[in-house]
Amino acid sequence: MLRTDRNRNVGSGLVTAFLLLLLLAQTAAAGNVNGVVKLGTVIKDEDARNMAAIQETYNVYEGFSVSQVRLTGTSGSRGSFLLDLQEINRDSGKGLFTWRVQDLGKLTVRYGQHRQLYDADGSVSSQRRDWRVGVHVTPSNRARITANFGYQTREGDRLGYPAGTTSVLGGNYDYNIFESDVEAEYGIGGGRRLAVGWRGTSFTDDLNDAAERSGNVLSVRASGPCYFFPELLSHYVRAAYGKQELVEPGLDYTMSNFQYLGLLRPARDLQFKYRFLASRVEDEAETFQTDEFRNDFDLTWYHKYGRVFGGYGYVTRDDYTLTDYNDWRAGFALNHGKVARLQVSYAASEKGDQEERTLLKDIEASRLKASFKSEPVENLTLGLSYAEREREYTVLDVEAEGVRYSAFGRLERPGLGAVSVDYTYSEDDYQDRAAGFYADNRSVSARVDLTAVRNLDLAAGLTYLNIGGDLDIEKSILMFEGEYTVARDYFVQVKYNVYNYDDYLLLDRYYTANVVWLNVGYKLSID
């Protein structure tokens, strides 16, 4: 009961806050206001033995809903705003408010909340709420100030593993996270810029005082063309220093890093990029530190029909043991307008554990990717892609391989509608000392939009997933929707979705739901 009461209070505060934002938007709109208001109801019918099977229905709630309040407008000769609120009276509500003043800045406020289910009967769940506020100010052509603030809360139940046990972290969630990020940037001439920033975080947990922590990071960065070779070379430099503290035990961690990025253009069609990163994390209580050094080299040759690129990276990490990483990458891209666009890339990496003290020891991995896209005629888009990946843990005698094929197409006919189809097939094979695991996945999504009838928009769609091999799972979502304009400013909207999930290896783990959204809307315009 305590959590329910708290949720109600938070929900009332949410509605009040959104109404204040609405009032602010209306007050600011001395110019004009345009938008839409949608009210409706949701009907949901479920038959399930696995409530956690389909995430798409976690945050669908039955009953009356303020489906959307969306307003755009101007204020005077320089200001404009956007207010977009969705399902503000439900636990799935979210909102966005943006206010811009030309040549001065922008204010953005975001809110969202969602529920997560963890077990088959839906009794283990948690609710998360996120607030985000951003301010962007440009008092002059050279100066820019940005500030971002975030506040996140999470309440509910924590799932233990194995099933029926309590997690070592406890049986519930009840924490808050506050984040602040402020940066001031100034242009010092010649395309060169200097910035100073601060980032702070605070984590408080009402159920576990030992987990509470706070942190602060100060950073300085500079970028721009080289003073000696401004036409050939550009630099980017950033340094940061910060501390994170576990409040109750009083443990401090000191973090510092230095980054450098250099871009060299010795010729018009040739670019060389070098990146260096040095970082250190120190545990002051244990006098334990981890140092990491990264060097990356990349070369790209540009042509009017594409580019060829390649690179190499070397990383060392040293704490109580030494590990090193070697990365290689290469590829090319060909472009012939919209008729044909082809890209192929290959990357490989090796991790060496010199003393074999890390959990996974040595690792070898590679990835090949290829994609092709074409618009052979107007309003028709076709595409193909291929990906192959391998990973081997040589000391542990474990291997993982995977391959994926996909194809998509979209055809649009102005005044009639559009058709789109996307198909993917993939295989994944895992082998270890004890046994293996194999899965093949097939997924298809399709959508049809019809706009041939005046004042009537119709759409239908399908999403289907089949996981075979050592699993036997099917999931599908059918969608039908229509919108009819009754008069110039009024419309009716209907949407019907069918959700289905079946696990044929666990016969009692199924989910079926029918959901209907009914909305009436009004399009407003105030000058």
Side-chain angles (χ1 to χ4, degrees), residues 233-342:
L233 184 61
S234 297
H235 306 285
Y236 173 91
V237 180
R238 182 180 185 272
Y241 177 84
K243 283 193 173 185
Q244 185 167 116
E245 179 186 12
L246 290 173
V247 179
E248 184 175 276
L251 297 179
D252 291 336
Y253 297 88
T254 301
M255 300 160 287
S256 58
N257 69 64
F258 173 82
Q259 302 174 54
Y260 170 77
L261 175 65
L263 294 176
L264 176 65
R265 299 293 292 265
R268 178 182 177 182
D269 300 328
L270 196 63
Q271 175 183 278
F272 175 76
K273 180 169 65 175
Y274 169 68
R275 184 177 66 154
F276 172 75
L277 169 66
S279 66
R280 170 174 290 181
V281 178
E282 296 180 273
D283 182 345
E284 297 181 0
E286 300 291 337
T287 63
F288 173 82
Q289 69 182 38
T290 300
D291 295 320
E292 180 178 314
F293 298 93
R294 171 181 287 272
N295 291 272
D296 280 301
F297 307 86
D298 287 279
L299 185 64
T300 305
W301 177 66
Y302 294 91
H303 189 270
K304 67 177 181 178
Y305 291 120
R307 58 192 172 95
V308 178
F309 53 90
Y312 169 74
Y314 180 68
V315 183
T316 61
R317 184 175 296 135
D318 184 10
D319 38 42
Y320 286 139
T321 184
L322 174 66
T323 55
D324 58 50
Y325 303 79
N326 290 275
D327 301 316
W328 299 269
R329 47 196 175 270
F332 65 89
L334 299 177
N335 300 309
H336 187 62
K338 294 183 178 181
V339 177
R341 281 166 280 182
L342 172 67

Side-chain angles (χ1 to χ4, degrees), residues 21 24 82 96-101 105-109 133-136:
L21 286 177
L24 174 62
L82 163 67
L96 167 66
F97 175 72
T98 301
W99 184 24
R100 299 174 183 266
V101 178
K106 179 178 72 170
L107 168 68
T108 302
V109 181
V133 179
V135 180
H136 183 97

Side-chain angles (χ1 to χ4, degrees), residues 122-123 267:
S123 60

